[in-house]
Amino acid sequence: MRIEDVYIWDINAKWLGITPYQLMENAGAGVARTIEKRFGTGLRVAVFSGTGNNGGDGFVAARHLSFDNDVTLFLVGDEAKIRSEEARHNWEILKGLDFVEIRLLKDSAYVKSLDLGGFDVIVDALLGAGTRGEPREPIRSAIEKINEYAGRAKIVSVDLPSGYPSRIRVKADFAVTFQWDKEEYGGFERVIVKIGYPKELYHLVGPGDAKFALRKRGEHKGQNGKLLIIGGSGDYYGAPYLASKGAGYLVDLVYLAMPSEPAKRISDPDLILRPIEGQNFSPGHVHELLSIAQKVNAVVIGPGIGLAEETKEFVREFIKRCEKPMVIDADALKAITEDLSVLNGKTFVLTPHAGEFNVLFGVKPEGSLMEKAEVVKGEAGEVGGVILLKGAYDIISDGKTWKYNRTGNRGMTTGGTGDVLAGLVGALLALGNEPLRAASAGAFLNGLAGDMVKEELGENFTALEVAKKVPHAVRWVMEF
Ligand SMILES: NC(=O)C1=CN([C@@H]2O[C@H](COP(=O)(O)OP(=O)(O)OC[C@H]3O[C@@H](n4cnc5c(N)ncnc54)[C@H](O)[C@@H]3O)[C@@H](O)[C@H]2O)[C@H](O)CC1
Ligand SMILES: [K+]
């Protein structure tokens, strides 16, 4: 698990009704319990809090410790900067107590003159997962002040030694970290306390996953992704159009490559049409499509592309030579069934429904969610990429871990919602997301858009309405 997952879990926990207040209370209580288990009670404790949620955990720990110990809370920084509701709430509680001494250290001058000689334990709740760069004043002086007492007082860090990973960091005896270890942490002892997360958070896709996937937008100015969608056949143009409609809300540019006949039916200024000669894609088009693919960040291939022999050959040849992350959807899945080796070394997301999964891998995922997830995980490991198995619960796996998505409803069985989904996953790949994140967040957004349409129209709606609801789903996620 990575530090980023802390924030994704907190958002998803809130979505499940577990509030940040509860998490902070459990975190702070866990710190206090660990300290008393290690050092007993009747201690003189100094808690150093910053103005973020790491500091908030410190406020809670100070309150819990104050019952059987003598606690002084040092707030390092300006109390007006205490940001989150949960940290402010716990700060107000502390200020209302009489037996916890509070010292406000607004700048480094106050810090430098401190004498901490009388304390048995120093709790470091200055900086945690929100640290950006080298510690700045007055936090920096507080770290240096605490380190003067290393070896004399016991030093316990909340979540991680403040300043980590820079060299200016608290020399902690150990850190109390929450729920699980973080792979970025190293070089200091950690005690892990659980803070009330249910096991679902390992697997359930929530607004946290989508928020972090969408955050890639605007990360590199003007590079909000370019996507190529390859699909359509004969007079079949609905599927690739739907895929591009949803995607168009997430990326800057969508190229839509389809046979010239159906292409004439599309007059949408948001799309850059790339009509190709003939009724269907065929091997003679590979070179032309590869050169368009050069200009984009990701490719969706398959919606409505058809099953003509020449088209299946085109699909296999294109995939074999395309160097961009790809979503392989619908009829393109049937084309690669004959030769999965075209996927070797590629970055891709396969988006089968149960029937296509069975055709691809010769096995029908059946049984409980866990059992189906194991099957999808096994096949994803075999094929060396991400599989998004669409269903009442979508199951997503990269062969190492697995996720499931609960958004969406029965109305989504209407034709074309799978095309919208393929477009969204492609767009999230084009924004720079890893395939597992792109597939998970795409499934979440597609289902959420469908749930929003159902709210308005009941269960009979078209896929185009789902595509048009994508901006509302994005806004809901970003505001959550
Ligand atoms: N799920 C969990 O594990 C929970 C963790 N909790 C605690 O929350 C912190 C993360 O809180 P956050 O507010 O995001 O960040 P921090 O408190 O770590 O710091 C932000 C704070 O500090 C300022 N700042 C950032 N970088 C620097 C710097 N280099 N020098 C000086 N100041 C800096 C920034 O401006 C903010 O004001 C996590 O570690 C846990 O302790 C939750 O409380 C419960 C759930
Ligand atoms: K800390």
Side-chain angles (χ1 to χ4, degrees), residues 4-5 8 208-210 212-213 428 433-442:
E4 179 179 276
D5 294 306
I8 291 177
D209 304 87
F212 273 75
L428 292 166
N433 287 291
E434 289 300 310
L436 181 69
R437 172 72 48 79
S440 306

Side-chain angles (χ1 to χ4, degrees), residues 48 54-55 123-129 131 156-163 170 175:
F48 280 79
N54 196 252
V123 178
D124 153 34
L126 293 166
L127 285 180
T131 304
V156 179
S157 284
V158 176
D159 203 10
L160 58 96
S162 296
V170 166

Side-chain angles (χ1 to χ4, degrees), residues 35 66 95 107 136 181 213 236 249 283 322 335 338 362 375 397 427 451:
I35 287 171
S66 71
K95 288 210 290 186
D107 63 48
R136 299 186 295 275
D181 209 359
Y236 219 121
Y249 292 112
C322 177
E338 291 155 43
V375 171
S397 179
D451 290 341

Side-chain angles (χ1 to χ4, degrees), residues 7 10 52-54 57 83 128-130 132-134 136 159 197:
Y7 293 98
D10 285 3
N53 275 3
N54 196 252
D57 294 351
R83 280 195 332 276
R132 297 285 174 272
E134 294 260 322
R136 299 186 295 275
D159 203 10
Y197 288 139

